[in-house]
Every structure is written in C-alpha cells, then in structure tokens.
C-alpha cells in the first residue's frame, strides 16, 4: 500500500511539474508574463490549500479506497484540460481544478502509512510514500521533454492525465486489501490522543514550519526553468536535460531524514527533542540558496538547487514527525492536509511576488527571499515549542 501511495504522489507531481517545466515554451506561445504565471500557480495553490484538509478529513472519516479513487479521477481530467487552455483564465481554471484534486495526495499517503505500519517505521514510511513527489519531479523533465518537443506541449498534458488512469486500475486491485478497506483503531497507542485544533499554538507551529520550511521546493519547481532560460540562456531541451538534478536532492532528502528521525527517536515515541535538533541542522543547511545569483557555473547552480531541495525534504519529514508525535495518528489525514494546505497557502502568497521579481530581473532579492523563509518557519516553531523542549 505504501508503494502505491508512492506511485500516486509521483503521478501528481508529474502533473503539476509539467507546467513548470514547459513554462518557457508556454509563456512564449501564449504571451503570458512571469507575473501572470505566478498567479496561475496561485490559483493551483489556493485550491490545493482548500483541498488538502477537505480530503484529509474525508479520508480519516470515510476511508482511503473510494476517496483516493475519486480524487485521482478528478485530477486526471483536470490535467488533460490544460491541453485545451488558450490564455490566462483557461490555465488558471485548469490549474485550480488540478490543485483541488491533488489535495488528496499527502493526506492519502500519510493515512496509508499510519494505517498499515507500526509507529517505529512511520517516518521512513512517510518518506517512501511522499518520495513519489520528488521522484516525479526528477523524471518529469526526462519523460515530458521528448513528448513536448515531438508532439507539442499540449500533448504532454494529455499524457499526464492518461497515466492517472493507469494508476486507478492498480488501485482497484490494491485497495481490496483489508488494511485499506477498513479504518484502524489507534486508541491503544501511546502518546496524545487529541485532534489538531486551531486554538492550539502547536498546530500553528507545525503549519508555519511546514509551509515556510518547504517553500524552496515550490520555488525551485516553478522558478528554476525560467531562471535557467532568463539568466543562463538555456534552451527548452537543455533545461529538460538538467532539471532532474534538483528534485533528486528532494528524493534523497526524504529517505535520509526519514531514516534519521526514526533512528534518533528514543523509547519515548512522543518525544520532539530529536525533531528540534534535526530542524536546527536543516535550517542552517538551507541558507546557501541565497547565493545562486552570484554563481555563474551551471553545475554550481544545480548543486545549490539540489541542496535546497534536499533540506526542504527534511523540513517536510521532520515537521510531520513532530505533528504525529503531538497528535493522535487517527487524525493523520487531517495532519497531512493541514501541513500541505498551509504550504500551498504560502506558495499562493509568494508566487506572484516571485514572478514580479523575476520580470524585474531582481534575482538577488528573489533568491534571498526564498532562503529566508525556512529560517522564519523554524524560529516560529521554536518560539511556540520552547516550553515543551525545556521539559522534554
């Protein structure tokens, strides 16, 4: 089941990364500006923000089997609809529908992990389930670029919708297993049994650390192709040849940080002390992203973007580990939905700003802002959890 969630997150990121990868070609043909492109991404992000907690609550309450089936059908059709968009409103509408449907991705992954794996393996299991997203970002340039160059960018979106249909066939078989068909009872597990509530500051510390810490993922996905063309002069084919490298850092980061947090957890499974130390490390490691505009070598740029996504993967895994240790696994779908939804809200707010800065070619400010966001998320999390850390 966890591997099946890896595949669905892989497909969802192929769907969403196709637009980012082909943005130089699409913007040139449709005459959209980078700022308008930012608003198109915001349309996706706002719908994704809404969809995450909605799907999370749905999956917690009514189960994985039919919830994931409905979600993938919806977003596959939305992905195909991109092929028929001709301007700003068309792309924004298609993107919004895609965002709402794909809001089920991370809630479904985390719900599957906590429903089928013991607590000692859940962080690594979450990494496996979610690593499909980073893997999708890795392989999108490899498989989508040839399709777009041969048959045009519209054919690429039809392809991404069809692979969702293939996953549905697999899901019809896998979801018949008892651990998927029936929801689990977590009342016997150690730790807090509370549900996340917005009146609890810890919920906000989780959401803000998740949102700002993982913001470089969206930044690299949506801005990297435009930066490589605008600042370094790469063609669409050249961009496709190298843009798999940064998401590979995200993929490796998922497994590394997931393995490390499981290994660092002591007998008290609800302890957040290991999360604190590892979050401190990833915050420091993320700062070199600010130096990208001052590097002229393509491979140096690729390394810095690789490092940024490696670190951002750590923020995702570690903040979810914190939330699962703080609240009952029975609410895992909602936990994942709140995290991914908050991330999407942050993306919706900053992407038009990023697009505007790109249009103005203020690359130094652009990358500095992206590098500062994880620091802000970490400081907020630390301030709210300081009392808990002192008594841990």
């Amino acid at each position: 089941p966890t591997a099946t969630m890896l595949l669905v997150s892989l497909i969802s990121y192929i769907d969403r990364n196709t637009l980012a990868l082909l943005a130089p070609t699409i913007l040139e043909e449709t005459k959209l500006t980078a700022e308008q492109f930012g608003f198109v991404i915001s349309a996706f992000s706002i719908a994704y923000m809404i969809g995450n907690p909605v799907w999370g609550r749905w999956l917690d309450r009514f189960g994985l089997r039919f919830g994931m089936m409905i979600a993938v059908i919806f977003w596959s059709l939305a992905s195909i609809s991109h092929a028929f968009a001709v301007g700003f409103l068309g792309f924004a509408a298609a993107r919004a529908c895609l965002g709402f449907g794909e809001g089920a991705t991370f809630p479904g992954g985390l719900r599957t992990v906590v429903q089928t794996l013991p607590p000692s393996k859940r962080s690594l299991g979450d990494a496996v389930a979610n690593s499909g997203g980073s893997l999708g970002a890795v392989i999108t340039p490899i498989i989508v670029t040839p399709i777009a160059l041969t048959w045009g960018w519209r054919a690429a979106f039809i392809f991404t919708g069809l692979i969702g249909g293939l996953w549905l066939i697999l899901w019809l078989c896998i979801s018949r297993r008892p651990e998927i068909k029936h929801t689990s009872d977590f009342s016997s597990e150690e730790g807090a049994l509370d549900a996340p509530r917005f009146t609890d500051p810890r919920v906000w510390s989780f959401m803000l650390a998740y949102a700002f810490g993982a913001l470089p993922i969206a930044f690299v996905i949506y801005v990297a192709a435009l930066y490589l063309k605008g600042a370094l002069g790469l063609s669409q084919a050249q961009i496709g040849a190298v843009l798999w490298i940064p998401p590979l850092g995200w993929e490796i980061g998922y497994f590394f940080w997931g393995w490390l947090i499981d290994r660092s957890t002591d007998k008290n499974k609800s302890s957040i002390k290991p999360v604190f130390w590892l979050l401190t490390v990833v915050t420091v490691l993320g700062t070199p992203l600010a130096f990208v505009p001052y590097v002229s070598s393509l491979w140096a740029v690729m390394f810095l973007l690789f490092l940024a996504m490696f670190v951002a993967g750590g923020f995702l895994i570690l903040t979810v580990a914190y939330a699962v240790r703080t609240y009952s696994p029975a609410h895992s779908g909602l936990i994942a939905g709140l995290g991914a939804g908050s991330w999407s809200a942050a993306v919706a707010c900053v992407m038009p700003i990023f697009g505007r800065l790109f249009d103005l070619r203020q690359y130094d400010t652009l990358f500095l802002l992206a590098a500062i966001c994880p620091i802000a998320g970490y400081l907020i999390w630390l301030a709210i959890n300081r009392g808990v850390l002192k008594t841990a």
Side-chain angles (χ1 to χ4, degrees):
T2 300
T4 309
M5 289 298 106
L6 181 154
L7 290 176
V8 80
S9 62
L10 182 150
I11 292 169
S12 75
Y13 266 81
I14 292 176
D15 289 348
R16 69 181 73 178
N17 287 1
T18 295
L19 179 63
L21 171 69
L22 301 178
T25 298
I26 294 173
L27 266 61
E28 184 176 357
E29 180 177 322
T30 60
K31 308 303 180 185
L32 293 176
T33 66
E35 185 175 10
Q36 288 176 314
F37 176 71
F39 279 111
V40 169
I41 301 304
S42 291
F44 172 93
S45 300
I46 292 170
Y48 189 67
M49 172 188 67
I50 296 170
N52 265 275
V54 170
W55 287 109
R57 177 64 77 181
W58 174 276
L59 295 173
D60 284 340
R61 185 169 296 181
F62 300 108
L64 286 163
R65 191 182 189 199
F66 291 106
M68 290 306 301
M69 189 182 303
I70 293 170
V72 175
I73 290 173
F74 185 86
W75 93 49
S76 296
L77 293 174
S79 184
I80 292 174
S81 71
H82 286 67
F84 304 98
V86 294
F88 171 72
L89 292 179
F91 279 110
R95 212 65 187 164
C97 291
L98 182 68
F100 182 79
E102 291 194 349
T105 304
F106 290 108
L110 184 58
R111 180 73 203 189
T112 299
V113 166
V114 301
Q115 195 164 307
T116 60
L117 295 177
S120 62
K121 297 182 179 179
R122 284 175 183 168
S123 288
L124 186 56
D126 186 40
V128 172
N130 291 344
S131 69
S134 49
L135 182 59
V138 171
I139 69 174
T140 298
I142 299 172
I143 63 175
V144 170
T145 300
I147 294 173
L149 292 177
T150 304
W151 292 289
W153 63 265
R154 297 183 189 276
F157 288 103
I158 295 175
F159 166 77
T160 60
L162 293 178
I163 58 176
L166 296 177
W167 182 87
L168 286 167
I169 297 173
L170 174 64
W171 184 243
L172 285 173
C173 301
I174 297 295
S175 63
R176 292 177 181 177
R177 298 176 63 166
E179 63 266 36
I180 295 295
K181 289 181 66 174
H182 307 294
T183 57
S184 300
D185 180 13
F186 299 100
S187 59
S188 62
E189 292 194 10
E190 296 181 1
L193 294 177
D194 296 333
R197 301 181 186 280
F198 288 116
T199 54
D200 185 349
R202 296 173 299 175
V203 171
W204 291 100
S205 76
F206 160 62
M207 292 195 300
L208 292 172
Y210 187 112
F212 289 110
L215 199 59
I217 290 176
F219 176 77
V220 175
I221 287 174
Y222 294 127
V223 174
L226 295 175
Y227 180 77
L228 293 178
K229 179 178 176 62
L232 301 183
L234 272 63
S235 67
Q236 184 69 70
Q238 290 172 320
I239 291 170
V242 299
L243 207 53
W244 60 270
I245 297 173
L248 183 61
W250 183 14
E251 177 78 1
I252 296 172
Y254 265 143
F255 288 97
F256 175 77
W257 299 110
W259 168 80
L260 197 57
I261 187 61
D262 278 342
R263 187 177 178 86
S264 302
T265 302
D266 56 22
K267 294 181 180 180
N268 181 6
K269 300 299 181 182
S270 63
S271 173
I272 67 168
K273 204 79 170 183
V275 175
F276 160 70
W277 290 113
L278 293 176
L279 274 179
T280 303
V281 171
V282 296
T283 301
V284 174
L285 288 177
T287 54
L289 180 62
F291 299 104
V292 170
Y294 307 102
V295 174
S296 57
S297 166
L298 171 62
W299 299 112
V301 170
M302 288 296 102
F303 170 75
L304 291 175
L305 296 182
F306 174 97
L307 179 62
M309 296 195 85
F310 173 79
V311 168
F315 262 100
L316 289 175
I317 293 298
L318 295 172
T319 51
V320 169
Y322 160 76
V324 172
R325 283 161 170 75
T326 304
Y327 301 103
S328 169
H331 305 287
S332 55
L334 179 59
I335 289 170
L338 291 173
S342 62
W343 174 79
S344 193
V347 174
C349 293
V350 302
M351 274 308 300
I353 299 173
F354 287 163
R356 180 61 175 168
L357 290 171
F358 184 90
D359 283 335
L360 296 174
R361 296 186 175 274
Q362 295 182 3
Y363 300 136
D364 52 349
T365 304
L366 180 66
F367 281 89
L368 178 62
L369 180 60
I372 287 175
C373 287
I375 299 173
Y378 168 76
L379 292 176
I380 293 171
W381 181 89
L382 184 61
I384 292 175
N385 289 277
R386 183 171 51 188
V388 178
L389 289 167
K390 287 182 178 179
T391 59

